[in-house]
Every structure is written in C-alpha cells, then in structure tokens.
Amino acid sequence: MRDERVARGDLADAPELFWVDGGPGDAALRRLRVAPLRGRASAVAAGLGLFAWLPLLVLAGVDGVLVDRTALPFLHDLAVHVRFLVAVPLLVLADLPIGAQLDRCTAQFITADLVRAEDRPVFAGFLVEAHRTRDSGVAALIVITAAYVTSLGIMALGESQAGGSWHDAGSPPTLTLAGRWFALVSLPLFHFVLYRWVHRLFVWGRFLRRVSRLELRLTATHPDRAGGLGFLGGGLLPWGILVFATSTAISSTIATRILFAGATLEQYHSSYIALLVLTLLIVIGPLFAVVPALLRLRSRGLFEHGALASHYTQQFEAKWFAPTLPSEEPLLGTSDVQALADLAADHDVVRSIRPVPLGRREALVLVLVGLLPALPLAATTSTVRNFLQQALRLFL
C-alpha cells in the first residue's frame, strides 16, 4: 500500500521507504524478530558481535589455543577482537544515524522545492525503484557471495603468522574448530555487514543519478555553492562511522602483525593508505552522480550572470562615467555601487560552484576519522619511538 501511494506521487511516506528497514540480511533479522532496528539497535549490534566472537573464544579454549601452542594465540589476536567486538557493532549501529540522514536528504528535495510539481510522481517512482533494488534477492545473493569469496580468499592467502596461529595450528597447519567457525561464520559475517553498506551506497548513488537527470530547480547563486544540493555533502558526516569501523579493522590487523610477527609499519603504510582512500571514495562516490548537473548549472550560470553583468555594467558606466555626472543624484549613498558589488559577489558564487557537493570541512572530518584508529600505530615507527624516548628522558 505504501509503495502504491508513493508511486501515485503521495510522498508523505517517501522518506520511510529507504535505508534502515530493508536490504540484504533484513529478512533474516525479521525472522529472528530483531528488525526493524529502531529501539533495539544496541542489542542487535552487540548480539551480532558476540555471535561472531564468543564461539571463537569457547572453541579456541577447546582447541587449547587461547594463550599458547601457537605463534599467535587467540587472546593475542587484536584483529579478531577489534573486528568483531568493535567494527561489526559499529557497522550495525550506523544504520540509525545514516538512515535518518538519508531520509532527511531524500525529503529535502521536496522540502526545498528542488523537484518541480510535475516531476514529483517521477521522483516518487525513483524512490519505489530504489526500495525494490535495496531489497532485491539477487543483490542479497551477490553480497553473501562476495562476503564468502573475500573471506575464503583471506584464509587462502593466509592471515596466519609464521609458525601457525589459533585458527590453523598444528603441523602441517590444519583448521582448528575455532578456525572453521572463523572461516565459515565470523569472517563472512563481518564482510557481509560491510558489503551491505556498499550495496546501500550503490542504491543511493543510482537514485541520485536518476534524480539529477530531472529538471531540478537548482540556483547558481545558492550560498552553499552547490546549486542547493549542499545538503548531500553535509549529510556525509554520519558516514564517518563506516570509515572509522573499516579503519579500526585494518589498523588492528596491522597492529597484530607488528606486535606478533615482527613486521614494521613501514611495510604496511602504503596498503593502509590505499585502503583508506578506497573506503573514502566508496563513501563519497554517490555524490559524483550529481556532477553533470552541477557542471551544467555552473556553465549556464556563468553565461546568464555574465550577460546580466554586461548589461548592468554598461548602464553603470554610461551613467556614472559620462562626461557630465548627473546632477540630480548624489554619488555618495547611491545604491548603484552597492548593486555592482552584489553583482560581483553573485558572479563569484557562480564561478565557485563545486562539481561535487562536498565541503572541505566535511572531507577533512572524514579523513581525520579514518586516520584516528591508525594513530597508535605511529608509535611503532622508529622515528616516533626515538622522539618519545627523548621526550621521556627530559621529564624523568
């Protein structure tokens, strides 16, 4: 019924169509009666994290690899603890702030009157299609397959340390009971929750691309310097949760190898930066869907405001630079000069329209949030260690 109302152009329920109450994994959560997440997100996040981590703890105890018998016992593996007790819950909890922000962004197209009245049924149809794509069974299958392929690939390439780890102890190395749960349940669960967000970002980007092809009522002189679409970039801040969660998983893996495998940060800093940049590009990727619309707006605005400026300055100079100044109007206090300054300011706004509606502040915040989990790793570099040692000598 709700989809039918939206398809007819009744957008009262449109924002609620979107992200939180659906997508890959939602059917399973509903069967377990833990979806939708509103009001129970913390319990679901903690439950999924413990579902991935607690059996590993128990099985590692049964295998005898909690604290010994291997080069990397279970309790020493920072990566597995952070991945399942921090990253997975964060990726689940992110549903609420990100979902709410996307709902507001969706509604803003109507609230700000960016979509013409005659295009609103089409806009509503895009919402319905996004709803169906989000809940597609094919998409869920792709996400699950990608999660298992990635997990099995990681296991095949070997996360283990030289001399074995808690999940492949023995000689020759064979999967322990904990290792089997890790390979078949825990690791795929982590990647599933992660790739579910990639799918949502794809659906959001596809929706923005379709909407940007409408004849939106964008204004070149809008103060957000994005034609009125600046709210899309401002809405990225909650996505910092995903950037932070991904960075914690990467950083903890590197930390484990530095602490227990004799690796150095210098061996991994390039791969860390590459993965962080990839994460940031995936998060801001949907904004690139509106680039053609903003480039067209900037081009049209420069022509239109250029023509207006030409007409005005011609009349201004004809009036004030004539051989004889008009005696009936005093130069001081005239509104002509202020209007000329306002026209120049408007032209600067048009010329500075950003093709991607993302401000420097939002971009900087995302980068800093992504780098935050890596700060402890910096202490492992020889330069920082020497600096800290010298600083301690000064105070001790």
Side-chain angles (χ1 to χ4, degrees), residues 143-177:
V143 171
I144 293 172
T145 302
Y148 269 97
V149 168
T150 304
S151 301
L152 295 177
I154 289 174
M155 296 298 294
L157 293 174
E159 275 200 338
S160 61
Q161 312 298 312
S165 73
W166 57 270
H167 51 70
D168 57 356
S171 182
T174 56
L175 282 178
T176 60
L177 292 175

Side-chain angles (χ1 to χ4, degrees), residues 62-392:
V62 173
D63 293 326
V65 291
L66 271 178
V67 293
D68 53 18
R69 281 192 57 198
T70 182
L72 180 63
F74 177 76
L75 292 182
H76 293 178
D77 193 342
L78 296 177
V80 74
H81 306 316
V82 170
R83 189 180 286 153
F84 302 129
L85 297 180
V86 178
V88 167
L90 283 177
L91 290 171
V92 175
L93 288 172
D95 277 21
L96 298 187
I98 294 177
Q101 186 63 38
L102 290 180
D103 288 349
R104 287 192 291 269
C105 287
T106 304
Q108 184 69 6
F109 281 102
I110 303 301
T111 304
D113 202 25
L114 297 177
V115 179
R116 300 181 308 165
E118 56 268 34
D119 287 334
R120 293 192 179 187
V122 180
F123 178 84
F126 292 161
L127 279 174
V128 173
E129 179 61 27
H131 174 257
R132 292 171 181 165
T133 304
R134 182 200 65 187
D135 296 338
S136 166
V138 174
L141 181 61
I142 292 174
V143 171
I144 293 172
T145 302
Y148 269 97
V149 168
T150 304
S151 301
L152 295 177
I154 289 174
M155 296 298 294
L157 293 174
E159 275 200 338
S160 61
Q161 312 298 312
S165 73
W166 57 270
H167 51 70
D168 57 356
S171 182
T174 56
L175 282 178
T176 60
L177 292 175
R180 293 172 188 173
W181 184 271
F182 178 73
L184 297 176
V185 179
S186 300
L187 198 55
L189 175 63
F190 166 73
H191 288 115
F192 175 81
V193 176
L194 183 63
Y195 292 158
R196 183 181 65 160
W197 279 112
V198 175
H199 168 63
R200 288 171 169 175
L201 278 163
F202 167 77
V203 178
W204 174 240
R206 186 166 175 257
F207 169 74
L208 290 181
R209 181 175 62 85
R210 289 185 165 190
V211 172
S212 69
R213 291 178 175 177
L214 297 175
E215 191 175 339
L216 297 176
R217 301 180 64 185
L218 303 180
T219 50
T221 53
H222 196 287
D224 68 4
R225 300 179 189 272
L229 296 178
F231 62 90
L232 296 175
L236 276 179
L237 293 182
W239 293 92
I241 300 173
L242 302 188
V243 177
F244 181 83
T246 304
S247 182
T248 57
I250 300 169
S251 300
S252 61
T253 300
I254 296 174
T256 301
R257 295 180 180 180
I258 291 174
L259 292 174
F260 301 106
T264 63
L265 181 58
E266 287 79 2
Q267 294 175 264
Y268 292 102
H269 72 271
S270 297
S271 56
Y272 171 80
I273 292 174
L275 289 172
L276 178 60
V277 170
L278 178 62
T279 301
L280 292 171
L281 288 177
I282 290 174
V283 168
I284 69 173
L287 296 185
F288 287 90
V290 301
V291 167
L294 290 178
L295 289 178
R296 289 194 301 269
L297 176 68
R298 184 177 183 274
S299 178
R300 186 179 73 243
L302 287 174
F303 277 105
E304 293 175 348
H305 285 265
L308 176 63
S310 294
H311 294 318
Y312 185 85
T313 53
Q314 289 166 5
Q315 296 179 32
F316 181 88
E317 293 193 3
K319 175 180 179 180
W320 291 105
F321 290 92
T324 303
L325 290 176
S327 58
E328 66 275 7
E329 185 173 351
L331 177 61
L332 294 178
T334 180
S335 61
D336 291 351
V337 176
Q338 182 59 49
L340 183 64
D342 293 340
L343 187 63
D346 288 344
H347 191 270
D348 287 339
V349 171
V350 175
R351 188 171 53 188
S352 61
I353 288 177
R354 301 187 300 268
V356 179
L358 177 65
R360 294 180 181 177
R361 183 178 68 89
E362 290 80 8
L364 180 61
V365 168
L366 286 178
V367 172
L368 292 179
V369 167
L371 291 175
L372 189 61
L375 291 181
L377 295 177
T380 66
T381 63
S382 57
T383 302
V384 175
R385 279 201 308 269
N386 292 336
F387 172 79
L388 292 176
Q389 289 170 358
Q390 293 175 5
L392 288 174

